[in-house]
Amino acid sequence: MPESLRLVTIVVQRKRGQKVLDAALAAGASGATYFYAQGTGVRERLGFLGRFIEAEKQVILVVANAERACQVLDAARVAGELDNPGSGFAYVQDVSDVAGFFPAATT
């Protein structure tokens, strides 16, 4: 039976993207895919304070085994300051099938 894999999706303000990406890699991600996007929602609900939340986002995708996915999520939470409203969010999904994924060798 193949190893259980997870997809970690991280959405952060663009200015924090590189810091979060570096933290994910340091936490054991074998690689990542990222792209830039526009966000809406929280800014409008926060009213005046929403003016300080950037609309430009960086979306980071990391596939990892279950253990590393937890480590990547924790690293992203800290690096992206995700416990602060408007900083971004992250979530983990099960990967049911995969092709072309080669996990990093463990030492």
Side-chain angles (χ1 to χ4, degrees):
M1 182 173 205
E3 182 177 21
S4 179
L5 296 175
R6 308 284 189 274
L7 171 64
V8 182
T9 302
I10 309 157
V11 181
V12 294
Q13 292 180 12
R14 188 170 178 169
K15 67 182 178 184
R16 292 190 177 134
Q18 189 61 50
K19 183 178 179 182
V20 172
L21 185 56
D22 292 343
L25 294 171
S30 59
T33 299
Y34 66 89
F35 56 92
Y36 301 106
Q38 289 276 135
T40 186
V42 171
R43 287 175 50 146
E44 290 73 20
R45 286 195 304 272
L46 289 178
F48 177 73
L49 294 176
R51 294 183 188 179
F52 301 110
I53 299 174
E54 294 181 21
E56 288 78 30
K57 308 295 181 195
Q58 185 166 345
V59 180
I60 302 165
L61 307 172
V62 176
V63 175
N65 66 28
E67 181 182 338
R68 286 197 183 179
C70 289
Q71 295 168 351
V72 168
L73 181 63
D74 289 340
R77 177 183 292 118
V78 173
E81 301 176 26
L82 301 183
D83 292 329
N84 297 329
S87 295
F89 65 97
Y91 57 91
V92 179
Q93 298 171 284
D94 289 334
V95 174
S96 62
D97 205 359
V98 67
F101 175 74
F102 303 99
T106 57
T107 54

